[in-house]
C-alpha cells in the first residue's frame, strides 16, 4: 500500500473515532434512562460506522437540564 493511501485511511479512522466519541458524550448528556444510554454507547462502540448511522436517525441528542450553559447572558441573541 502506498504511503498517501495509508495516511488517508488513518485520517478516516481518526475522524470516525472522534465522531463516535462525540456521539457517546451526547448520549450520556441526554435525558434518557441509564439503561438506554448504556445500550446506545455499546452500539456505538461495537459498530462505529453503522452505530453512527443508526444513532443519527434514531438516537437521543437532547441535553438534560443542568448540563448546558448556566449563564442567562449566554442565551441572549
Amino acid at each position: 500500500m502506498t504511503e498517501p493511501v495509508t495516511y488517508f485511511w488513518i485520517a478516516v479512522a481518526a475522524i470516525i473515532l472522534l465522531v463516535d466519541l462525540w456521539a457517546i458524550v451526547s448520549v450520556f448528556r441526554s435525558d434518557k434512562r441509564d439503561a438506554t444510554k448504556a445500550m446506545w454507547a455499546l452500539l456505538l462502540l461495537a459498530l462505529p460506522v453503522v452505530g453512527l448511522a443508526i444513532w443519527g436517525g434514531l438516537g437521543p441528542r437532547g441535553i438534560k437540564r443542568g448540563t448546558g450553559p448556566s449563564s442567562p447572558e449566554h442565551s441572549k441573541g
Side-chain angles (χ1 to χ4, degrees):
M1 196 175 281
T2 63
E3 195 170 319
V5 174
T6 302
Y7 288 138
F8 171 77
W9 287 113
I10 290 172
V12 169
I15 290 169
I16 291 171
L17 176 66
L18 290 173
V19 174
D20 261 354
L21 290 173
W22 172 72
I24 291 170
V25 168
S26 179
V27 164
F28 279 105
R29 291 183 68 190
S30 73
D31 58 353
K32 300 296 181 186
R33 293 188 340 246
D34 288 341
T36 304
K37 293 177 187 181
M39 181 210 57
W40 279 108
L42 287 174
L43 177 71
L44 289 164
L45 288 172
L47 304 168
V49 176
V50 175
L52 276 174
I54 295 169
W55 173 80
L58 305 172
R61 288 184 288 290
I63 297 176
K64 65 181 173 184
R65 294 205 179 274
T67 61
S70 58
S71 169
E73 292 294 318
H74 184 77
S75 300
K76 289 186 177 177

